[in-house]
Each structure stands twice: as structure tokens, then as C-alpha cells.
Amino acid sequence: MSFNFFDLIYLLLVLTGIVILIENRLERILYLIALQGLLLVFPVFQVHSLGDFHAWTLVAMILIFKTTLTPYVLHWSVKKSKMSVHTQPRFGFLATFFFFIIGLIASLFIVNGLGELPQGVDKIGVIYVFLLIYLGLITFIARTHWIVLICGFIMIENGTFLLTLILQKGLPFGIEFGAFIDALLVIVASAAL
């Protein structure tokens, strides 16, 4: 397995997930969710060419929904409802680290059990994607603040988007658009709350 640019992007996605999991300031969490959305642009070109119209449509949807609109609406919701800018986890860092190690081991077993991966995708990238999904689950479980719970759901959705993108090249546009409908529902839910 060789380390390439896309592996670095997947590593950065996982690192933003880890920081979101342990960060206690809402504003920083929202900036990290926006950064995570921006990082999703690069894997699109791992499986699609630069001249592909479908790829540029995905990039536009990522930049509109995941990088701009979702963090903006969540930030607006925090300001509008005058919430506390600090969050409190349900349990401490040691328990969170223990759960992360369990997820890392499970991700290694799952990826080793996978068959042949598409050309240009290596196992380390898929491990990072499974870890991102798992970090979203941990965030959803470990945190109590509803904005951070939504951010955990967004991380799960980001990981699911990446997994379908890299394991099934050329997904129908409707399936990928459905992933962004989830982001739109998050926006509507937070605006309502």
C-alpha cells in the first residue's frame, strides 16, 4: 500500500472528526464541519475525471450544502437561540479513546474482509472512511448538545457519501442527490429548532 494525496485527504477527514469529537466550543466545531465538507471535494476526483460534468455537479452540491449552507444555518441557530457556546460530553476522554480504538480495530477487520477495491482506491482510504462513519456514531452517542449531535449525523452522512463514492464508481445522480437531501433536512431541522 502506497500513501498518496487522497490518503492524506482521508486522514485529514478523520482528524477533523476526532477534533469534533473532543472539542467543547461550538464555533470551532462548526468551522471543522465546514472544513470537512470542503475536504469532500477532493475524493470526487479520485473516481471521476476533471472533465466530467457529473463530478463538477457533485462538487457544486458539496460546496453549497456541506461547506456553506449547513454550517451557516447551524451557526445562525446557535446565535438566534442564544445557546451556550460550550458543550459537555456524556463521558470522559479515556472512555472516548477506548471506543475509538474499538472502532479502529473493527474498521481494520471490515476492510480486510472486503474483496477487490476499485482501481485507484486502496485499503487505507477505506479504513479512514469507516473510521469517519464510526466517529460520527461516537459523536452522536457521546455528546449531549443538539448542535453537536447534528454534527455527528453530518459526519456519518459524509462517511456514507465517501463510501458509496469510492466503492461504486459512477453512482446514478439520483442516489448522490439523495445524500444531499439529508443535508437539507438537517438545515430545516436546525432552523426549526
Side-chain angles (χ1 to χ4, degrees), residues 46-60:
Q46 183 178 12
V47 294
H48 295 288
S49 67
L50 282 173
D52 189 6
F53 177 75
H54 178 77
W56 287 105
T57 305
L58 278 177
V59 167

Side-chain angles (χ1 to χ4, degrees), residues 5 27 31 52 63 70 158:
F5 172 74
E27 189 170 316
Y31 287 138
D52 189 6
L63 292 176
T70 301
N158 288 345

Side-chain angles (χ1 to χ4, degrees), residues 86-168:
H86 295 284
T87 65
Q88 297 297 325
R90 289 182 206 264
F91 38 85
F93 294 116
L94 189 59
T96 304
F97 179 71
F98 175 72
F99 287 128
F100 176 75
I101 295 299
I102 290 173
L104 176 63
I105 293 168
S107 297
L108 291 172
F109 279 117
I110 290 170
V111 172
N112 282 333
L114 289 177
E116 188 69 25
L117 296 174
Q119 185 176 1
V121 176
D122 57 0
K123 288 189 176 188
I124 191 76
V126 180
I127 290 170
Y128 288 149
V129 170
F130 276 112
L131 276 176
L132 183 62
I133 294 170
Y134 185 72
L135 283 168
L137 287 171
I138 293 176
T139 302
F140 202 75
I141 293 169
R143 304 310 285 262
T144 57
H145 198 285
W146 69 271
I147 293 283
V148 186
L149 294 177
I150 290 174
C151 290
F153 175 76
I154 293 169
M155 277 198 295
I156 294 169
E157 201 275 326
N158 288 345
T160 306
F161 170 76
L162 281 175
L163 189 63
T164 57
L165 182 72
I166 64 175
L167 292 183
Q168 184 66 35

Side-chain angles (χ1 to χ4, degrees), residues 30-45:
L30 295 178
Y31 287 138
L32 287 167
I33 278 294
L35 175 62
Q36 198 175 78
L38 182 65
L39 289 172
L40 290 176
V41 168
F42 298 102
V44 170
F45 296 110

Side-chain angles (χ1 to χ4, degrees), residues 13-81:
L13 283 163
V14 169
L15 290 177
T16 58
I18 291 171
V19 176
I20 288 169
L21 178 63
I22 61 174
E23 180 60 54
N24 286 329
R25 306 235 347 142
L26 277 179
E27 189 170 316
R28 290 182 194 152
I29 291 172
L30 295 178
Y31 287 138
L32 287 167
I33 278 294
L35 175 62
Q36 198 175 78
L38 182 65
L39 289 172
L40 290 176
V41 168
F42 298 102
V44 170
F45 296 110
Q46 183 178 12
V47 294
H48 295 288
S49 67
L50 282 173
D52 189 6
F53 177 75
H54 178 77
W56 287 105
T57 305
L58 278 177
V59 167
M61 288 193 314
I62 289 170
L63 292 176
I64 291 169
F65 286 105
K66 295 185 176 295
T67 304
T68 309
L69 202 54
T70 301
Y72 174 77
V73 169
L74 290 174
H75 185 66
W76 175 81
S77 298
V78 168
K79 295 287 186 197
K80 186 78 171 168
S81 60

